[in-house]
Amino acid sequence: GVMFKKPVIVFEGIEGSGKSFHISNISKYLKSKDIDYIRIREPGGSFNSEKIRKLILNNKSNFKKDTDLLLYLAARSENIDLLKKFYKKKIILIDRFVDSTIAYQHYGMGVDLNILQKINNYLLKSFKVDFTFLNIVSEKNLKIRLNKRKKLNRYDKFKMNFYHKVQRGFLKIAKNKKNYRIINSNKSIKVNQIEIIKKIEKLIKWT
Ligand code: TMP
């Protein structure tokens, strides 16, 4: 059979930035080509991690920011076995990962970056992300897209300024890094879709 590389590819961005649409589209693309991959989301992705997700995002929850951090990391901890099992054996698509923790808990909520990175490094060890698509969105479109959602979870209800800080945080993380591509979701979705597929083809191409 044809050989493919098996990178770890992450989709990041705030609410309404279109990352879930694009990750679904890539999944369809890979399926149509009969290319093996796994797809997970964070928080969630595995049985136990989905339990923690429910707890964090439940509208009745009101945890302290440090508790949120520890719960997101706990959800990640429950995914490690799965991630390590398929690392470099299958393409891994992840809907949010470490950068979401840095952007939301550190840049958004002001949690200490050091402790966050320490625990992440402890959990991930040699597991590395190869490429990240960072989806950005304007405040106007963010509002429109949040308004369209039937159900809002606890993290869909922050003030606009919070999402601003988080998106700026994401952009800081991506700045001057070769393995990040910024996708402007205010542009045509079709154009972005084509750009992302092209990049994916390059990332998995065996040379
Ligand atoms: P989702 O609905 O896009 O899956 O995201 C769930 C929420 O969790 C989203 O508002 C971002 C937030 N989040 C964090 O705050 N920290 C994290 O580490 C992760 C993975 C997600």
Side-chain angles (χ1 to χ4, degrees):
V2 188
M3 294 277 279
F4 292 103
K5 282 190 192 163
K6 285 144 178 109
V8 177
I9 303 167
V10 173
F11 291 76
E12 291 283 10
I14 59 170
E15 279 65 12
S17 63
K19 69 185 167 45
S20 300
F21 171 85
H22 287 301
I23 204 167
S24 292
N25 187 56
I26 296 307
S27 302
K28 272 188 227 147
Y29 169 82
L30 294 173
K31 249 184 230 149
S32 76
K33 301 264 168 193
D34 252 328
I35 303 170
D36 250 359
Y37 70 94
I38 67 155
R39 171 186 176 177
I40 69 157
R41 66 170 177 182
E42 284 209 349
S46 64
F47 184 75
N48 286 333
S49 189
E50 287 291 333
K51 284 192 188 168
I52 300 170
R53 177 188 176 92
K54 287 211 179 93
L55 183 64
I56 309 173
L57 297 179
N58 190 302
N59 282 314
K60 286 180 190 136
S61 296
N62 70 335
F63 298 119
K64 296 165 62 158
K65 57 189 183 182
D66 284 343
T67 311
D68 271 10
L69 170 73
L70 293 168
L71 286 173
Y72 281 115
L73 294 169
R76 184 158 304 138
S77 169
E78 285 300 321
N79 280 338
I80 293 301
D81 287 352
L82 185 79
L83 292 174
K84 290 199 171 149
K85 182 172 166 202
F86 292 110
Y87 189 49
K88 301 295 164 192
K89 296 194 177 72
K90 283 187 185 182
I91 296 167
I92 303 179
L93 306 177
I94 316 181
D95 190 341
R96 296 193 182 285
F97 201 46
V98 174
D99 291 348
S100 270
T101 322
I102 300 173
Y104 282 80
Q105 275 65 51
H106 172 64
Y107 286 111
M109 298 183 166
V111 173
D112 180 67
L113 185 58
N114 256 325
I115 189 70
L116 189 166
Q117 278 172 334
K118 249 203 181 120
I119 302 175
N120 262 319
N121 293 340
Y122 167 75
L123 291 174
L124 297 178
K125 309 222 163 60
S126 58
F127 183 93
K128 293 247 150 49
V129 172
D130 294 289
F131 199 83
T132 301
F133 291 98
L134 170 57
N135 299 267
I136 59 163
V137 61
S138 67
E139 186 172 320
K140 186 173 150 241
N141 283 333
L142 167 61
K143 277 188 186 151
I144 292 171
R145 288 171 196 172
L146 280 178
N147 273 328
K148 272 195 198 149
R149 292 198 176 170
K150 287 179 208 91
K151 270 203 214 144
L152 294 181
N153 68 42
R154 182 174 155 239
Y155 265 64
D156 292 329
K157 294 178 177 168
F158 290 116
K159 298 215 171 75
M160 278 301 134
N161 184 43
F162 174 78
Y163 298 108
H164 254 307
K165 282 197 278 185
V166 173
Q167 182 155 282
R168 267 206 308 271
F170 273 126
L171 286 165
K172 274 184 208 159
I173 297 167
K175 197 168 179 185
N176 298 326
K177 295 211 182 95
K178 273 197 309 208
N179 57 339
Y180 282 74
R181 172 76 58 89
I182 293 166
I183 302 295
N184 183 346
S185 75
N186 307 308
K187 291 196 315 198
S188 136
I189 201 159
K190 261 267 164 310
V191 170
N192 287 336
Q193 210 173 342
I194 292 165
E195 180 183 338
I196 294 172
I197 296 268
K198 266 196 193 147
K199 184 64 198 176
I200 295 277
E201 284 172 339
K202 269 193 198 148
L203 289 168
I204 65 175
K205 190 169 174 209
W206 195 277
T207 44

